[in-house]
Amino acid sequence: MRPFVYERVNTPQAAVEAMAGVGAGSALQGPVQYLAGGTTLLDLMKLDVMRPEKVVDINALDATIFGRLEASRGGLRLGALARMADAAEHPAIRRDYPMIAQSLQLAASQQIRNMASLGGNVLQRTRCIYFRDVSYAPCNKRNPGSGCAALGGSIERTRCLA
Amino acid sequence: MATASSAAVPLFARASRSEAAPARVQPKSPRDPSVITLEVNGRDQRLTIDVRTTLLDALREHLGLTGTKKGCDHGQCGACTVLLDGRRVLSCLTLAVAAQGHRTTTIEGLSNGDGTLHPMQQAFVDHDAFQCGYCTPGQIMSAVACVNEGHAVSDEDIREYMSGNLCRCGAYPNIVAAVNQAKTLMKRQ
C-alpha cells in the first residue's frame, strides 16, 4: 500500500470540497478517494490497484440523511452510507422490497455487510483476476488503452467490458 | 512539491526556510506518522503508527494482542474478525486511524475479569470446535456477534451467517454445536 494522507470530514459540504480541483476522469485512478466501509478500497489499495494520495473518511456522514433508510408510501429512500446489513434487515425493506433485502443478504459475509455501504456496493470494481494483479500490464480498466490480459484465456467469458 | 519529513533533515544543518510558507495549511505528508488513541477491550491505547496500518496490524504488531489472526488479509477468510462497537467487522480491511472513536473488542477482551471463559469460548472447548486453532478467535468473535444479531436460531441460520469464517480443518459441525450450546447460556446473561 502506498502512503496517503488521511482526513475525516463531518459535513457533506466538506466531503464535496475534498474533491475540489480533482479533474474528472477515471475515478479508479483519482488521487482523492472517499472511504466508507473500506471493503473495496482497502482491498484494492493492498493490491496496488488503487493508489490514492488522499483518503477522505466520510463515515461520520452516516449520522445525516445519507445514512438513513426511509420507507414511506411514496417509496423507498436508501442513504448511500447506510450499511448493507442494516438495509437487509430493515423491516419495511424485507416486507415491501424483498428482492433488495434478499440480494443484499446473499452477498459477501455478515462482517462485510456490517461494514459495507450501499453506495460502495454499487461502486464495487470488477472481480477479474487480471484487473486485481498489477503484474499484468494490459488492463483497459486500470490503464485505458493498454489491452486486456483476459482475452484468449480461460476466463475470457467472464472478463469485464472495458 | 516534495515535502520532506523532518527525519530527512540532517541534524547539523539549519532547516532551510527558503521555500515560501504555503498560503494555506498543507495537509500533512503521507509519510508522517499518525498519533491515535484506540479504545481496545475497554482501555485507551495511544499509538504512533504509519497511516497505512490496518486495525489488524495495530492490534497484533503494536499492541501485542496476537489473538486476532491474519489469514488472508483481504477480507475473505474472517480470521481477523473483531467487534467494533459490538458489531462484527474485518480488522484487515479497517484502517487503524479509522477505528479511532470506536470501541474495539478482541478475543482477549471476551473472557471475564476473573479469568473464567465466555460461554462461547467454553462451548468451543466443550464441543472440540477447533483443531489447529488458527481460525478460532475469529470464529468465536463472529459467533458471539451472530448470536447477538439473532442469527443463530437454527442450524441453517448458523451455517449461513457464520459463512464469513473459513475453517480449513473442517471443524464446522462442531462449531455449529458450540454455537447452539452457547446461545442458550448467553441469553441468560
Side-chain angles (χ1 to χ4, degrees):
Chain A
M1 205 187 299
R2 299 178 188 228
F4 53 89
V5 170
Y6 170 85
E7 260 180 36
R8 279 191 189 185
V9 293
N10 294 312
T11 66
Q13 185 73 13
V16 171
E17 281 169 8
M19 283 289 178
V22 175
S26 169
L28 177 72
Q29 307 295 8
V32 181
Q33 295 289 341
Y34 291 121
L35 173 70
T39 53
T40 292
L41 179 63
L42 285 185
D43 177 33
L44 293 180
M45 284 174 73
K46 289 186 187 194
L47 294 169
D48 208 28
V49 171
M50 289 185 78
R51 309 166 183 183
E53 293 161 24
K54 179 153 70 163
V55 169
V56 180
D57 186 335
I58 55 171
N59 285 295
L61 298 184
D62 67 3
T64 69
I65 189 175
F66 299 108
R68 283 204 285 275
L69 301 163
E70 290 169 358
S72 68
R73 286 175 54 189
L76 178 64
R77 187 191 188 105
L78 302 167
L81 277 171
R83 309 295 157 167
M84 287 172 69
D86 296 327
E89 307 267 316
H90 192 281
I93 296 176
R94 291 179 69 179
R95 182 188 66 232
D96 299 330
Y97 305 90
M99 193 168 79
I100 294 178
Q102 286 171 28
S103 58
L104 287 170
Q105 203 61 62
L106 288 169
S109 66
Q110 185 68 20
Q111 290 94 314
I112 291 179
R113 292 193 294 268
N114 280 343
M115 300 162 75
S117 66
L118 295 179
N121 187 238
V122 174
L123 292 171
Q124 278 183 93
R125 300 297 173 177
T126 180
R127 294 287 189 265
C128 178
I129 56 174
Y130 300 103
F131 169 79
R132 289 173 59 83
D133 188 339
V134 294
S135 68
Y136 290 94
C139 174
N140 283 325
K141 199 162 275 285
R142 275 189 281 113
N143 299 305
S146 64
C148 173
L151 283 173
S154 60
I155 71 157
E156 179 169 350
R157 267 185 305 130
T158 57
R159 68 182 179 88
C160 79
L161 298 175
Chain B
M1 194 192 99
T3 52
S5 72
S6 57
V9 174
L11 288 173
F12 52 84
R14 254 192 343 191
S16 168
R17 294 284 180 255
S18 57
E19 295 162 51
R24 57 180 176 84
V25 176
Q26 295 283 3
K28 53 185 204 170
S29 161
R31 293 205 178 266
D32 284 347
S34 301
V35 182
I36 64 170
T37 301
L38 290 181
E39 189 201 311
V40 181
N41 299 329
R43 295 172 62 184
D44 281 345
Q45 305 277 3
R46 190 174 161 88
L47 297 170
T48 302
I49 53 169
D50 187 302
V51 71
R52 295 168 284 183
T53 309
T54 59
L55 177 60
L56 176 61
D57 284 334
L59 293 169
R60 291 180 54 80
E61 309 294 333
H62 296 267
L63 293 176
L65 295 171
T66 53
T68 311
K69 302 293 187 259
K70 179 178 290 192
C72 71
D73 211 27
H74 279 277
Q76 296 171 23
C77 76
C80 69
T81 303
V82 298
L83 304 185
L84 208 63
D85 298 328
R87 274 161 72 113
R88 48 176 162 161
V89 299
L90 301 170
S91 58
C92 72
L93 293 182
T94 304
L95 288 173
V97 292
Q100 274 196 109
H102 297 280
R103 293 178 291 111
T104 300
T105 311
T106 71
I107 188 71
E108 291 91 345
L110 207 57
S111 55
N112 303 312
D114 60 359
T116 54
L117 297 178
H118 186 283
M120 188 62 73
Q121 291 172 305
Q122 187 62 52
F124 268 62
V125 171
D126 293 345
H127 289 274
D128 188 30
F130 57 94
Q131 291 182 35
C132 78
Y134 199 78
C135 75
T136 309
Q139 296 279 2
I140 291 174
M141 298 310 289
S142 196
V144 168
C146 182
V147 172
N148 289 333
E149 288 159 9
H151 288 145
V153 174
S154 66
D155 283 7
E156 195 185 326
D157 269 0
I158 294 170
R159 290 187 199 105
E160 175 60 35
Y161 284 96
M162 290 291 292
S163 61
N165 291 85
L166 303 181
C167 173
R168 200 59 180 78
C169 294
Y172 299 117
N174 295 1
I175 291 172
V176 174
V179 175
N180 276 321
Q181 170 178 308
K183 72 186 186 190
T184 56
L185 296 168
M186 284 171 65
K187 257 188 262 184
R188 287 186 218 150
Q189 279 191 326

